[in-house]
Amino acid sequence: MVTNPEIALPGAESTGPDGEKIISTADQTLTEEDPTPTETPAKKTTAKTAEGEMQQTINALSNQVDRLNDKLTQMQETERTRLDMERLTRAEQRAESLRVQQVDVESKLADLGSKLEQIEYQLKPENIERAAGYGTTRPEEAREARRRQLENEKKRVQAQINILETSRTRLETAVRTADAEVDSLRRKIELQQAQQDTSGVTDSEAPARRRPE
């Protein structure tokens, strides 16, 4: 009669028909079929914590870079505003200098205009005759000499007036250009200051809108 060997429990020894020892390999077989170790809850928690800390570090560095960029932009805007302020000061000084020249030209034109009117009055025949008709034996020559003198004086004064009128026209154009530049720079600076004020308010509110850590 054939006797079946006893079935040994996993990891236990049994004796075969001829007295040999049989060791069960059930545990080893199961282990070889599923070699993947099982993660413990502690390891999972540690990995999640490390990932969260890394994300916080990345967010902090990103926020720091944003702040540095904002500061650099603000410095550049401040420097541009300073340069524009210097340009505005020079433009105002130039406009004021041109106005002073314009007033001086107007004053000279007024004086020359009065002088020209006086010469034209003296050129009237009755006035020439009255001025040169007494105390001479040759009144005709005296009157002619007086007339030529007044005519030459009139030409000289008229030439000065023409030059000053040309200068006045150029100064008027220059003053308008200078005033336009001053107005443009003032508007530009006001806009820059308004933008900087708005940027300052935005920066003060910025932490509430930054990336969540």
Side-chain angles (χ1 to χ4, degrees):
M1 182 176 74
V2 179
T3 303
N4 293 326
E6 295 180 1
I7 299 174
L9 295 175
E13 295 183 356
S14 62
T15 302
D18 298 327
E20 72 273 15
K21 292 181 179 181
I22 300 174
I23 300 175
S24 175
T25 59
D27 288 343
Q28 181 179 356
T29 303
L30 292 174
T31 302
E32 290 176 353
E33 290 178 354
D34 188 12
T36 304
T38 303
E39 286 187 341
T40 63
K43 288 184 179 181
K44 290 182 179 180
T45 303
T46 302
K48 185 174 182 180
T49 301
E51 182 180 356
E53 291 177 351
M54 182 178 294
Q55 185 62 43
Q56 289 179 355
T57 301
I58 293 173
N59 290 340
L61 291 174
S62 179
N63 291 337
Q64 185 176 3
V65 170
D66 290 341
R67 287 192 294 269
L68 290 174
N69 287 334
D70 293 342
K71 186 174 182 180
L72 178 60
T73 300
Q74 184 177 4
M75 290 174 62
Q76 292 174 342
E77 291 176 351
T78 302
E79 180 65 15
R80 283 196 296 268
T81 301
R82 185 185 66 81
L83 293 176
D84 288 336
M85 288 291 291
E86 292 180 357
R87 290 178 57 196
L88 175 60
T89 300
R90 291 195 296 269
E92 290 175 338
Q93 292 174 348
R94 183 166 57 254
E96 183 62 25
S97 176
L98 291 170
R99 283 194 177 85
V100 170
Q101 296 178 47
Q102 188 178 17
V103 170
D104 183 60
V105 168
E106 293 287 353
S107 177
K108 290 179 179 179
L109 279 171
D111 292 341
L112 289 173
S114 297
K115 190 172 183 178
L116 183 61
E117 289 179 358
Q118 183 180 2
I119 293 173
E120 290 176 343
Y121 176 79
Q122 292 173 346
L123 274 171
K124 290 182 178 181
E126 60 272 21
N127 293 330
I128 292 178
E129 185 175 356
R130 187 181 302 113
Y134 302 98
T136 178
T137 57
R138 298 178 179 179
E140 292 293 335
E141 293 180 1
R143 287 193 292 269
E144 182 62 21
R146 176 63 176 171
R147 187 186 64 79
R148 286 197 300 267
Q149 178 187 359
L150 292 173
E151 287 288 352
N152 291 334
E153 183 68 12
K154 179 181 177 180
K155 290 178 181 179
R156 185 180 65 82
V157 171
Q158 186 63 57
Q160 292 178 347
I161 290 175
N162 293 339
I163 293 173
L164 289 174
E165 286 180 343
T166 301
S167 298
R168 180 177 61 181
T169 301
R170 292 176 178 175
L171 285 170
E172 288 174 349
T173 302
V175 167
R176 286 195 298 268
T177 302
D179 287 343
E181 183 180 5
V182 169
D183 291 340
S184 176
L185 287 171
R186 284 176 179 170
R187 287 193 298 269
K188 183 178 180 181
I189 291 172
E190 290 174 357
L191 179 60
Q192 289 174 348
Q193 291 175 344
Q195 290 175 345
Q196 289 177 7
D197 293 342
T198 303
S199 177
V201 173
T202 302
D203 290 342
S204 64
E205 298 173 351
R209 299 198 305 271
R210 292 193 184 280
R211 301 180 183 89
E213 295 184 1

